[in-house]
Amino acid sequence: MIANYILPVLAAVGSVAAQSSTCSPSGGTTTINSQADATGLANCKTLKGSVLIGANAGPVIDISGPSQVTGDITVENNGVITTLQSTNLGAVGGAFTLRNLTILTTFQFTSLQSVKTIDWQSLPALGSLTITAPGVTQATDVKISDTFLSTLDGIDLTSVRSMNINNNRRLTKFSTQLGNLSDILNIQANGRQLEVTMPNLIWIANMTIANVTSFSVPSLAVVNGSARFDFNYFTSFSAPNLTSARSGDISFVGNANLANITMPQLTSIGGGLLIANNTGLGELNGFQKLSEIGGAVKLRGNFTVVEFPSVDDVKGAFDISSTANIQDECDKFKSLAPTNQGGNGMIQGLYTCTSNNEDANNDTNSTSTGGGSSSSGGSSSSSGDDKNAASSLTISNALLGVAALAGFASLL
Ligand SMILES: *[C@@H]1O[C@H](CO)[C@@H](O)[C@H](O)[C@H]1NC(C)=O
Ligand SMILES: *[C@@H]1O[C@H](CO)[C@@H](O)[C@H](O)[C@H]1NC(C)=O
Ligand SMILES: *[C@@H]1O[C@H](CO)[C@@H](O)[C@H](O)[C@H]1NC(C)=O
Ligand SMILES: *[C@@H]1O[C@H](CO)[C@@H](O)[C@H](O)[C@H]1NC(C)=O
Ligand SMILES: *[C@@H]1O[C@H](CO)[C@@H](O)[C@H](O)[C@H]1NC(C)=O
Ligand SMILES: *[C@@H]1O[C@H](CO)[C@@H](O)[C@H](O)[C@H]1NC(C)=O
Ligand SMILES: *[C@@H]1O[C@H](CO)[C@@H](O)[C@H](O)[C@H]1NC(C)=O
Ligand SMILES: *[C@@H]1O[C@H](CO)[C@@H](O)[C@H](O)[C@H]1NC(C)=O
Ligand SMILES: *[C@@H]1O[C@H](CO)[C@@H](O)[C@H](O)[C@H]1NC(C)=O
Ligand SMILES: *[C@@H]1O[C@H](CO)[C@@H](O)[C@H](O)[C@H]1NC(C)=O
Ligand SMILES: *[C@@H]1O[C@H](CO)[C@@H](O)[C@H](O)[C@H]1NC(C)=O
């Protein structure tokens, strides 16, 4: 069995001992500048420490020898390496870093199964991975960015802490058995036709999904953070099993073709709901069970229909604006407005609703500063935006959370 933990480098034993099956190079790092250096590891079954492959090593480096490297493997800024391979390396205890390898075309690791951190960036010639099944099934963090990969076959994890797949312009399919993602999933700026399929994903902390053509999450039940969908090309999105977004926002911004969002089981959002500038979205009626929203609701678009039949508790502001006439919906939601606006108080923050607003799509800002980059903004008729600073309420740390505080504070 391959163990996947880092053994301390206990002693510096001089250079690699050729006869020993466990090698502990002095200084903890083995530097490989040529194939001869790599061949020197042939008798090390376990290599304690890290491997650094030099900037001039290549064109072929075969590190067959160790079945385990307890530390990192790093290859950076190397313009001569074309092939990196090993027939028997199974486990890397630290980070496997490949960066700025301009002519690397072959990555062939037929036994690789476990890597703590995959960090592969700027590999413009790497078109495929050769990793024999089952492939890499264990990793904690994965970042694959700016490669020539058209598939990620060979990486098949069931659970991971973070996964960041971006700027892989040829990537058109990503299908993974991932069930659980405990920090963040970020998929962005890959091939324009990228179809993402995650049939087993049940639980995720946060996700940002942009520039994809389809995104399928039939089993997703819980988002324990935020879910953000920006500039995607899909015409519909559904999360049929999603029941709650626990502490963050759900947002859809600038998905030009999006005509249908359905989350039929969603009952609560811990943060806010932002739907803006999805100009093909005429009917917003896919949230039939949504009742509780911990932040603000901001809906801006070309809506003709806006239905949230179960909403009965919105902690923040409720701001709807459409390019079309939605007077009927405005009247309906007005009954839920704060009591000082004539409603029953189910909406606690400021209530605004406008029809026939040509500029409805211009404002895609979240209404707070809470989550990071966006600044305060939103409806021109809102007020009290800056009163949140001294509040001791903690509704959420989400993007729209501050709007919740501001809206709430404006009633005090
Ligand atoms: C990438 O590596 C090449 C050497 O192959 C080097 O000249 C170049 O500066 C590196 N680029 C960056 C951004 O580090
Ligand atoms: C996913 O991981 C989180 C955090 O480790 C855990 O609380 C949750 O129960 C897991 N969910 C599933 C479906 O495995
Ligand atoms: C991808 O989405 C980002 C937003 O996350 C956007 O800024 C960018 O323009 C999009 N890229 C393409 C090629 O559509
Ligand atoms: C959706 O949730 C139900 C109830 O928890 C479960 O029985 C069903 O298998 C889930 N569907 C999928 C596709 O995961
Ligand atoms: C879920 O989110 C809450 C609020 O951010 C956090 O306190 C909790 O640790 C998260 N749960 C897991 C299992 O990450
Ligand atoms: C992910 O979500 C958790 C809540 O589940 C939040 O506390 C955390 O800050 C988020 N992480 C990132 C990187 O957005
Ligand atoms: C929207 O999508 C849902 C689920 O995929 C589907 O049942 C429904 O018919 C679609 N509605 C429209 C108007 O296309
Ligand atoms: C959305 O509304 C704007 C402003 O009225 C209009 O210019 C645009 O054509 C509409 N888009 C769609 C897809 O209906
Ligand atoms: C809103 O956007 C439209 C088209 O993008 C533009 O013509 C108009 O001037 C914008 N209005 C404001 C107030 O920025
Ligand atoms: C709205 O989306 C369109 C593309 O669908 C884009 O051209 C425009 O800049 C976006 N407006 C804002 C305010 O983001
Ligand atoms: C959105 O935010 C940007 C910068 O954060 C700001 O310049 C812009 O005026 C805001 N737009 C609206 C409509 O509030």
Side-chain angles (χ1 to χ4, degrees), residues 245-262:
R246 289 194 180 143
S247 59
D249 302 336
I250 292 185
S251 73
F252 289 85
V253 173
N255 303 279
N257 305 329
L258 183 59
N260 188 358
I261 306 175
T262 35

Side-chain angles (χ1 to χ4, degrees), residues 279-280 302 323 358 361:
T279 51
N302 292 43
T323 56
E358 258 182 31
N361 287 302

Side-chain angles (χ1 to χ4, degrees), residues 16-18 23 30 32 34-44 62 64 66:
V16 171
C23 305
T30 301
I32 294 178
S34 65
Q35 180 55 42
D37 292 345
T39 305
L41 299 175
N43 294 323
C44 298
D62 183 337
S64 296

Side-chain angles (χ1 to χ4, degrees), residues 82-341:
T82 61
T83 301
L84 183 62
Q85 63 189 32
S86 167
T87 52
N88 54 353
L89 182 65
V92 179
F96 197 151
T97 301
L98 305 176
R99 274 200 208 164
N100 185 25
L101 310 178
T102 42
I103 63 170
L104 182 74
T105 50
T106 304
F107 179 89
Q108 185 164 328
F109 280 74
T110 48
S111 301
L112 194 61
Q113 295 199 8
S114 142
V115 178
K116 181 151 188 289
T117 301
I118 290 177
D119 183 353
W120 296 343
Q121 301 181 49
S122 300
L123 309 172
L126 186 63
S128 65
L129 303 169
T130 306
I131 306 175
T132 308
V136 178
T137 55
Q138 287 180 49
T140 306
D141 297 287
V142 175
K143 178 170 190 177
I144 299 178
S145 120
D146 199 6
T147 73
F148 198 56
L149 292 170
S150 59
T151 80
L152 299 181
D153 291 356
I155 297 174
D156 206 5
L157 310 166
T158 51
S159 103
V160 67
R161 184 168 63 195
S162 71
M163 180 171 270
N164 188 341
I165 309 293
N166 72 75
N167 291 284
N168 302 287
R169 301 302 169 130
R170 278 213 325 156
L171 190 64
T172 53
K173 272 208 163 54
F174 179 38
S175 179
T176 165
Q177 56 164 339
L178 261 181
N180 200 334
L181 218 149
S182 61
D183 191 357
I184 189 159
L185 171 66
N186 193 332
I187 299 181
Q188 189 155 5
N190 296 291
R192 197 179 161 98
Q193 300 302 322
L194 179 58
E195 296 177 3
V196 181
T197 316
M198 303 196 162
N200 300 336
L201 186 67
I202 293 174
W203 195 98
I204 192 166
N206 310 287
M207 61 179 157
T208 298
I209 308 298
N211 319 105
V212 308
T213 293
S214 67
F215 187 68
S216 165
V217 280
S219 307
L220 183 63
V222 174
V223 174
N224 198 51
S226 296
R228 237 181 110 148
F229 301 90
D230 299 335
F231 301 97
N232 291 291
Y233 315 118
F234 44 57
T235 54
S236 72
F237 176 78
S238 90
N241 256 19
L242 182 63
T243 55
S244 66
R246 289 194 180 143
S247 59
D249 302 336
I250 292 185
S251 73
F252 289 85
V253 173
N255 303 279
N257 305 329
L258 183 59
N260 188 358
I261 306 175
T262 35
M263 300 189 180
Q265 306 299 329
L266 183 69
T267 56
S268 68
I269 301 176
L273 175 65
L274 171 65
I275 297 180
N277 197 27
N278 309 286
T279 51
L281 189 60
E283 300 189 0
L284 191 51
N285 56 9
F287 296 86
Q288 294 289 317
K289 289 192 183 164
L290 181 59
S291 73
E292 219 185 308
I293 294 148
V297 175
K298 179 164 166 177
L299 311 171
R300 294 177 155 258
N302 292 43
F303 314 120
T304 53
V305 171
V306 181
E307 285 176 13
F308 285 87
S310 304
V311 162
D312 60 10
D313 183 7
V314 180
K315 301 280 193 291
F318 197 101
D319 169 7
I320 316 180
S321 186
S322 178
T323 56
N325 185 345
I326 50 163
Q327 197 51 52
D328 289 352
E329 354 281 292
C330 288
D331 293 343
K332 228 182 293 166
F333 290 116
K334 192 166 183 6
S335 66
L336 310 179
T339 48
N340 67 354
Q341 290 187 274

Side-chain angles (χ1 to χ4, degrees), residues 226 228 248-249 366-376 396-403:
S226 296
R228 237 181 110 148
D249 302 336
S366 68
T367 52
S368 80
T369 52
S373 55
S374 301
S375 72
S376 279
S396 78
N397 61 357
L399 287 172
L400 296 169
V402 175

